[in-house]
Amino acid sequence: MIALGSDQGGFEVKQEIIAYLEKNQLEYKDFGSYDTKSVDYPVYAKLVAKAVQSGECEKGILVCGTGIGISITANKFKGIRCALCSDCFSAEATRQHNDANILAMGGRVVGPGLAVKIVDTFLNTPFSGDERHVRRISQIED
Ligand code: RB5
């Protein structure tokens, strides 16, 4: 199950992501927001971070205007490793090296086409499991 969240700056990109998830028959839970009305991005970052932290959802995807505020908020939660990505190289690397469990993007930074490719990369790249990466992640959590 993939947790989704956005504010008004990420709403349209989130709709493209939903279309991608549905096309690929991937289960998701959309925590909002549900339209382009102005809202406070921390509300949605917290809902998604808690869903991933609790194990209700395996991974999360957050989109605000820049991806910055929403990723800063998600990373306040212990066990959350939220990576702000604007390219596929970073999305692949953060799965392999950081075992990132939430992807953040800026809806005003990446277009819907690139966002979906970044999501596809993020969801389909496993953690490497290399000892040095396991060690570094445990240092983050300490
Ligand atoms: C909302 O205008 C904007 O501040 C928000 O989407 C995000 O970019 C914050 O980091």
Side-chain angles (χ1 to χ4, degrees):
M1 180 74 79
I2 296 155
L4 301 178
S6 74
D7 70 358
Q8 68 279 9
F11 175 76
E12 281 169 18
V13 161
K14 183 170 60 120
Q15 297 311 108
E16 291 292 329
I17 294 168
I18 288 173
Y20 160 88
L21 295 174
E22 289 182 350
K23 191 172 145 207
N24 289 281
Q25 297 179 330
L26 296 169
E27 286 193 323
Y28 65 90
K29 185 165 175 183
D30 185 2
F31 287 88
S33 65
Y34 302 113
D35 55 37
T36 54
K37 276 203 297 277
S38 181
V39 291
D40 297 330
Y41 61 78
V43 170
Y44 306 95
K46 288 177 187 179
L47 290 170
V48 167
K50 284 179 182 172
V52 174
Q53 192 184 44
S54 71
E56 178 191 356
C57 294
E58 182 197 335
K59 289 198 178 80
I61 301 171
L62 289 168
V63 195
C64 68
T66 59
I68 296 171
I70 215 156
S71 59
I72 289 173
T73 312
N75 277 315
K76 297 284 179 193
F77 288 76
K78 190 162 175 58
I80 294 303
R81 294 177 300 281
C82 177
L84 172 56
C85 298
S86 304
D87 62 89
C88 294
F89 177 82
S90 301
E92 184 179 49
T94 198
R95 286 291 310 126
Q96 290 172 336
H97 294 198
N98 315 119
D99 197 15
N101 47 18
I102 299 184
L103 167 67
M105 291 181 292
R108 296 173 186 146
V109 179
V110 295
L114 177 56
V116 165
K117 280 200 176 292
I118 292 170
V119 167
D120 186 62
T121 303
F122 184 80
L123 295 180
N124 289 302
T125 305
F127 176 49
S128 71
D130 289 349
E131 190 278 330
R132 69 186 191 286
H133 295 311
V134 172
R135 183 179 71 243
R136 289 163 189 164
I137 291 167
S138 74
Q139 288 173 8
I140 295 172
E141 301 300 334
D142 276 347

